[in-house]
Amino acid sequence: RTINIWEVFDKTCKNVVSLQGHSNAITSLCWSPDDTLLASASADKNVFLWDIYKGTRLKKLKGHDSIVNSVSISKKSELLLSAGEDSKLILWDLRTRKEVFSYKHSFQILSAAVSDHSDQFFFGGID
Protein backbone atom coordinates (compact mmCIF):
# COMPACT_ATOMS: atom_id res chain seq x y z
CA ARG A 1 0.00 0.00 0.00
CA THR A 2 3.02 2.22 0.33
CA ILE A 3 5.56 3.09 -2.35
CA ASN A 4 9.00 3.94 -0.97
CA ILE A 5 11.49 5.81 -3.12
CA TRP A 6 15.11 5.48 -2.14
CA GLU A 7 18.11 7.60 -3.01
CA VAL A 8 21.06 5.36 -3.79
CA PHE A 9 23.68 7.87 -4.96
CA ASP A 10 25.62 7.80 -1.75
CA LYS A 11 26.56 5.11 0.73
CA THR A 12 23.66 5.85 3.08
CA CYS A 13 20.79 4.66 0.80
CA LYS A 14 18.02 6.70 2.38
CA ASN A 15 14.27 6.71 1.87
CA VAL A 16 13.44 10.13 0.40
CA VAL A 17 9.70 9.84 -0.10
CA SER A 18 6.82 7.51 0.73
CA LEU A 19 3.67 7.57 -1.37
CA GLN A 20 0.42 6.31 0.12
CA GLY A 21 -3.04 6.03 -1.37
CA HIS A 22 -3.75 2.53 -2.62
CA SER A 23 -6.14 0.53 -0.46
CA ASN A 24 -4.63 -2.84 -1.36
CA ALA A 25 -1.33 -4.40 -2.46
CA ILE A 26 0.74 -2.66 -5.11
CA THR A 27 1.40 -5.06 -7.98
CA SER A 28 3.44 -3.04 -10.48
CA LEU A 29 5.39 0.21 -10.76
CA CYS A 30 6.69 2.05 -13.81
CA TRP A 31 8.82 5.17 -13.91
CA SER A 32 8.23 7.42 -16.92
CA PRO A 33 11.22 7.81 -19.24
CA ASP A 34 11.01 11.61 -18.99
CA ASP A 35 11.31 11.38 -15.17
CA THR A 36 8.05 13.24 -14.53
CA LEU A 37 5.70 10.45 -13.39
CA LEU A 38 5.50 7.22 -11.51
CA ALA A 39 2.61 4.88 -12.32
CA SER A 40 1.42 2.27 -9.84
CA ALA A 41 -0.97 -0.65 -10.30
CA SER A 42 -2.81 -2.24 -7.42
CA ALA A 43 -5.10 -5.01 -6.25
CA ASP A 44 -7.54 -2.17 -5.43
CA LYS A 45 -8.44 -2.12 -9.19
CA ASN A 46 -6.80 1.28 -9.80
CA VAL A 47 -3.81 2.83 -11.50
CA PHE A 48 -2.35 5.92 -9.84
CA LEU A 49 -0.13 8.57 -11.39
CA TRP A 50 2.30 10.19 -8.97
CA ASP A 51 4.45 13.29 -8.91
CA ILE A 52 7.35 11.82 -6.99
CA TYR A 53 9.13 15.15 -6.55
CA LYS A 54 6.15 16.64 -4.71
CA GLY A 55 5.11 13.32 -3.18
CA THR A 56 1.52 13.70 -4.40
CA ARG A 57 -0.97 11.68 -6.39
CA LEU A 58 -1.89 13.38 -9.65
CA LYS A 59 -4.65 11.09 -10.91
CA LYS A 60 -6.54 7.89 -10.19
CA LEU A 61 -7.22 5.99 -13.44
CA LYS A 62 -10.34 3.86 -13.03
CA GLY A 63 -11.28 1.31 -15.67
CA HIS A 64 -10.47 -2.14 -14.35
CA ASP A 65 -12.97 -4.43 -12.62
CA SER A 66 -10.36 -6.48 -10.76
CA ILE A 67 -6.69 -6.50 -9.74
CA VAL A 68 -4.42 -4.47 -12.03
CA ASN A 69 -1.30 -6.59 -12.58
CA SER A 70 0.91 -4.44 -14.79
CA VAL A 71 1.61 -0.89 -15.93
CA SER A 72 3.92 0.31 -18.68
CA ILE A 73 4.68 3.85 -19.90
CA SER A 74 5.73 4.63 -23.46
CA LYS A 75 9.19 6.03 -24.19
CA LYS A 76 7.81 9.51 -24.93
CA SER A 77 5.70 9.38 -21.74
CA GLU A 78 2.50 9.93 -23.76
CA LEU A 79 0.81 6.57 -23.24
CA LEU A 80 0.27 4.21 -20.34
CA LEU A 81 -0.81 0.59 -20.72
CA SER A 82 -2.49 -1.26 -17.87
CA ALA A 83 -3.38 -4.95 -17.69
CA GLY A 84 -5.45 -6.88 -15.21
CA GLU A 85 -7.09 -9.94 -13.74
CA ASP A 86 -10.32 -8.77 -15.40
CA SER A 87 -8.70 -9.77 -18.74
CA LYS A 88 -8.69 -6.11 -19.77
CA LEU A 89 -5.91 -4.20 -21.41
CA ILE A 90 -6.41 -0.42 -21.26
CA LEU A 91 -4.41 2.20 -23.12
CA TRP A 92 -4.44 5.63 -21.46
CA ASP A 93 -3.39 8.98 -22.92
CA LEU A 94 -1.18 10.60 -20.27
CA ARG A 95 -1.67 14.07 -21.74
CA THR A 96 -5.45 13.96 -21.21
CA ARG A 97 -5.33 11.20 -18.56
CA LYS A 98 -8.21 9.42 -20.26
CA GLU A 99 -8.77 5.94 -21.67
CA VAL A 100 -8.24 5.81 -25.44
CA PHE A 101 -8.49 2.07 -26.11
CA SER A 102 -9.64 -1.06 -24.30
CA TYR A 103 -9.32 -4.72 -25.21
CA LYS A 104 -10.97 -7.68 -23.47
CA HIS A 105 -8.93 -10.89 -23.67
CA SER A 106 -10.15 -14.42 -22.94
CA PHE A 107 -7.90 -14.87 -19.89
CA GLN A 108 -6.28 -12.81 -17.17
CA ILE A 109 -3.43 -10.58 -18.35
CA LEU A 110 -0.36 -10.66 -16.13
CA SER A 111 2.08 -8.35 -17.92
CA ALA A 112 2.05 -5.72 -20.66
CA ALA A 113 4.48 -3.33 -22.36
CA VAL A 114 4.45 -0.49 -24.90
CA SER A 115 7.01 -0.44 -27.73
CA ASP A 116 9.68 2.29 -27.86
CA HIS A 117 7.92 3.96 -30.79
CA SER A 118 4.48 3.72 -29.12
CA ASP A 119 3.09 2.00 -32.21
CA GLN A 120 2.70 -1.47 -30.69
CA PHE A 121 1.88 -3.05 -27.37
CA PHE A 122 2.48 -6.53 -26.05
CA PHE A 123 0.88 -8.58 -23.34
CA GLY A 124 1.00 -12.01 -21.79
CA GLY A 125 -1.22 -13.93 -19.45
CA ILE A 126 -2.24 -17.36 -18.26
CA ASP A 127 -3.43 -18.67 -21.64
Side-chain angles (χ1 to χ4, degrees):
R1 295 180 185 169
T2 301
I3 300 165
N4 292 293
I5 299 175
W6 288 75
E7 188 174 89
V8 295
F9 294 114
D10 58 32
K11 295 177 183 176
T12 61
C13 287
K14 62 182 175 182
N15 180 242
V16 292
V17 73
S18 292
L19 306 172
Q20 296 181 335
H22 283 291
S23 62
N24 209 325
I26 295 165
T27 57
S28 180
L29 297 169
C30 186
W31 195 284
S32 67
D34 67 359
D35 285 337
T36 61
L37 296 172
L38 178 72
S40 59
S42 174
D44 66 11
K45 308 176 190 176
N46 296 305
V47 174
F48 287 178
L49 299 178
W50 302 91
D51 179 325
I52 55 94
Y53 299 106
K54 293 180 181 174
T56 57
R57 186 180 78 198
L58 299 172
K59 181 74 175 177
K60 178 194 284 190
L61 303 176
K62 295 190 262 183
H64 287 278
D65 301 317
S66 188
I67 297 167
V68 185
N69 290 322
S70 177
V71 285
S72 177
I73 298 175
S74 66
K75 190 173 184 178
K76 293 181 181 177
S77 301
E78 296 171 345
L79 300 171
L80 180 141
L81 187 63
S82 61
E85 290 287 316
D86 57 2
S87 306
K88 281 168 71 176
L89 191 70
I90 301 175
L91 190 64
W92 307 87
D93 186 324
L94 290 177
R95 295 161 293 190
T96 63
R97 299 187 179 149
K98 296 192 184 295
E99 180 181 320
V100 293
F101 177 79
S102 180
Y103 172 73
K104 181 80 169 169
H105 191 51
S106 304
F107 297 95
Q108 294 96 329
I109 303 171
L110 301 178
S111 187
V114 182
S115 71
D116 281 349
H117 298 291
S118 302
D119 59 347
Q120 295 177 317
F121 57 79
F122 316 91
F123 67 91
I126 64 167
D127 58 338

